[in-house]
Amino acid sequence: MDKTSIHGMWSSRLMFILAATGSAVGLGNIWRFPYMTSDNGGGAFVLIYLGCILLVGLPILMAEILIGRHGRVSPVNTLRGLVRESGVSRGWVGIGWIGIVAGILILSFYSVVAGWTLHYTFLYVKQMFGGAPISDPGATFASLLGNPLELTFWHAAFMLLTVMVVALGVEKGLERAVRFLMPALFVLLLLLVIYGMTTGYMGQAAVFLFRPDWSVIDGGTFLRAMGQAFFTLSLGMCTMMTYGAYLPLKGVSIPRVGIAVALTDTCVALLAGLAIFPVVLSFGIDPAGGGPGLIFTSLPLAFEAMPFGIVYGLLFFGLLAVAAWTSSISLLEPATAFLVERFGVKHRKRAAIMIAGLSWVLGLLSVLSLNRLSGVRILGRDIMTFIEFIANDLMLPLGGLLIALFAGWALNRTILREQLSDMPESLFLVWRWLMRVVAPLLVLIVLVRAVV
Ligand code: PHE
């Protein structure tokens, strides 16, 4: 018999796809993917990233959804139940704890960067009413980063938006936010790609994005490409497991929704690249080594130059903020669901506020690392980059590795087959061996090579 979740259920298959895509598509695609590509030499990074999505990301995405849908509760409790049911070591529950910690860490800096997009949206609103244009985007960006109060304000505003949705719960909160705004973002990106074509630099941009130069690649590149693959698909920290817990058993094929989500996410990242690099190149900016400011220092140049640029700028940063919003709620949801199971469903609001508050305070470290504490270095990184490194590049792949092993070795075949009932036996076998051997091995090699 199919259980339902105490947290509510998605009202339809489409809603789940929208929510999962909303989680996957976010700053990871539009802010992080372009500058990681830029900082890591272009084509070769993109190819490794695509390989990770296909061989590691997609199969683990399916595993997370199926584990969640079988368990129907927050990750920690789902794993507790499964461990009992399958008679395996309690140690597996650690996966859920990694997820909670990674979620809080990621949300802390995610909200800071999302705050930048709110600030830029606001700048374009001001321009509509006659405010000064962003004529020197580099200076505008630098002055934002140099202002801790401004950063803290937008970080707080964004965190508040996130808590509001999560406090309302699945049907009332999450679904409403994703229904219209995701498709709108997609259309806007397409328009920007078309604009990119008019610059005459699309060819060069494509070469930079897709022609691999293997000479610039080392162990660290593999680690960052893999971390990016996990980050962009919201994997390794039980987000997709949590969303899977609210997914009905009947009429929804996990392989299909998995492919839909992974494909959309990848398309958005590549589109973002094709939208941004022509602009970067046409304004004579060096595409290599753009850093986290890349979209903020390059795109405003294009908006300044194009007709109705202010409207585009407003829509772009506004929708990017929304995309970040539908992702940040999914960063907050797993830990919140866990606390709700502790305190009772009446206390969802309190649970969400507690976790978000903790994340917000941690985020202040990222805020300060951009200005007052910019000289502080941990393992050669500033504080924000260090938190990002620990959470994205280490914890997510580690969480994913354990999820793969858990799904591949600890879960019995009956459970897997019930969840993946529409998968032909041959594909099921391929998936199971990807989980058992291929994905864990690839992640392990990358982690070990990068650390040693
Ligand atoms: N996938 C989101 C993005 O690309 C970030 C995210 C990571 C969300 C992990 C949830 C969990 O922006």
Side-chain angles (χ1 to χ4, degrees):
M1 199 204 59
D2 191 23
K3 296 175 283 185
T4 54
S5 148
I6 59 161
H7 305 286
M9 299 287 281
W10 303 111
S11 56
S12 68
R13 186 179 75 136
L14 180 66
M15 255 359 279
F16 171 79
I17 294 185
L18 282 178
T21 317
S23 163
V25 174
L27 295 174
N29 308 61
I30 296 167
W31 161 69
R32 200 168 190 267
F33 173 75
Y35 90 78
M36 290 302 278
T37 302
S38 155
D39 289 358
N40 287 285
F45 174 85
V46 175
L47 284 185
I48 302 169
Y49 158 82
L50 291 176
C52 291
I53 297 272
L54 197 67
L55 287 176
V56 181
L58 176 60
I60 294 183
L61 175 60
M62 290 168 50
E64 281 208 28
I65 301 175
L66 86 82
I67 293 173
R69 189 165 72 170
H70 182 78
R72 288 277 180 250
V73 277
S74 75
V76 170
N77 288 325
T78 282
L79 289 161
R80 281 185 181 148
L82 277 171
V83 157
R84 236 175 286 128
E85 197 180 332
S86 312
V88 291
S89 156
R90 282 191 52 87
W92 291 109
V93 177
I95 296 173
W97 292 111
I98 295 182
I100 288 185
V101 176
I104 293 172
L105 286 177
I106 295 177
L107 183 57
S108 79
F109 69 80
Y110 202 86
S111 166
V112 173
V113 177
W116 303 350
T117 66
L118 285 181
H119 172 79
Y120 272 71
T121 311
F122 180 65
L123 286 182
Y124 281 99
V125 171
K126 276 209 305 207
Q127 269 193 65
M128 286 224 146
F129 294 98
I134 305 178
S135 41
D136 183 353
T140 306
F141 187 65
S143 96
L144 171 66
L145 295 199
N147 189 337
L149 273 182
E150 180 109 42
L151 290 170
T152 305
F153 171 79
W154 292 111
H155 167 45
F158 185 81
M159 197 62 98
L160 218 63
L161 286 172
T162 305
V163 177
M164 259 167 45
V165 176
V166 174
L168 288 174
V170 172
E171 294 97 350
K172 284 200 219 106
L174 308 191
E175 288 197 355
R176 274 192 204 154
V178 290
R179 200 165 301 170
F180 303 107
L181 299 164
M182 298 305 299
L185 179 72
F186 205 80
V187 172
L188 196 75
L189 267 182
L190 273 179
L191 289 176
L192 283 176
V193 173
I194 294 173
Y195 172 80
M197 289 176 180
T198 68
T199 61
Y201 282 86
M202 188 53 89
Q204 269 194 45
V207 166
F208 180 73
L209 269 174
F210 299 117
R211 186 190 289 161
D213 172 2
W214 297 106
S215 68
V216 292
I217 295 302
D218 60 16
T221 320
F222 278 88
L223 184 70
R224 288 186 289 274
M226 178 159 289
Q228 173 64 13
F230 277 95
F231 183 74
T232 192
L233 288 179
S234 308
L235 293 181
M237 55 149 287
C238 307
T239 282
M240 291 298 179
M241 202 184 281
T242 311
Y243 275 18
Y246 315 150
L247 180 65
L249 184 59
K250 288 235 177 62
V252 183
S253 150
I254 288 180
R256 282 195 199 174
V257 294
I259 290 173
V261 171
L263 204 64
T264 314
D265 185 77
T266 308
C267 287
V268 173
L270 296 178
L271 277 182
L274 290 175
I276 285 156
F277 285 109
V279 172
V280 166
L281 291 162
S282 71
F283 282 95
I285 305 171
D286 182 4
L294 184 64
I295 63 165
F296 298 94
T297 52
S298 64
L299 286 181
L301 289 168
F303 297 142
E304 225 42 64
M306 59 209 259
F308 303 108
I310 301 180
V311 181
Y312 276 105
L314 175 63
L315 284 174
F316 177 81
F317 285 109
L319 288 172
L320 181 53
V322 173
W325 193 15
T326 57
S327 300
S328 63
I329 56 187
S330 76
L331 282 162
L332 185 53
E333 179 64 21
T336 303
F338 174 67
L339 283 191
V340 167
E341 283 156 17
R342 273 259 147 112
F343 301 153
V345 261
K346 281 204 306 258
H347 299 290
R348 177 168 260 278
K349 203 183 271 168
R350 176 150 61 112
I353 292 174
M354 277 174 65
I355 304 287
L358 180 61
S359 229
W360 184 79
V361 173
L362 263 174
L364 296 177
L365 281 175
S366 289
V367 164
L368 290 173
S369 83
L370 298 167
N371 35 68
R372 302 281 152 78
L373 302 180
S374 61
V376 178
R377 285 281 176 280
I378 313 172
L379 297 179
R381 298 169 171 87
D382 62 66
I383 302 174
M384 180 163 154
T385 317
F386 179 72
I387 296 178
E388 220 181 314
F389 168 71
I390 296 289
N392 292 6
D393 293 354
L394 298 184
M395 291 181 82
L396 294 187
L398 182 66
L401 167 78
L402 295 172
I403 289 168
L405 289 175
F406 184 70
W409 297 100
L411 286 184
N412 68 43
R413 200 187 154 85
T414 326
I415 296 180
L416 296 176
R417 254 347 210 149
E418 182 193 30
Q419 292 295 331
L420 300 174
S421 56
D422 67 328
M423 219 178 180
E425 186 62 25
S426 52
L427 275 185
F428 174 75
L429 276 180
V430 171
W431 173 82
R432 204 170 186 201
W433 282 100
L434 280 174
M435 287 294 90
R436 291 190 148 181
V437 183
V438 181
L441 209 62
L442 287 177
V443 177
L444 198 69
I445 293 172
V446 171
L447 281 177
V448 169
R449 268 199 58 181
V451 173
V452 176

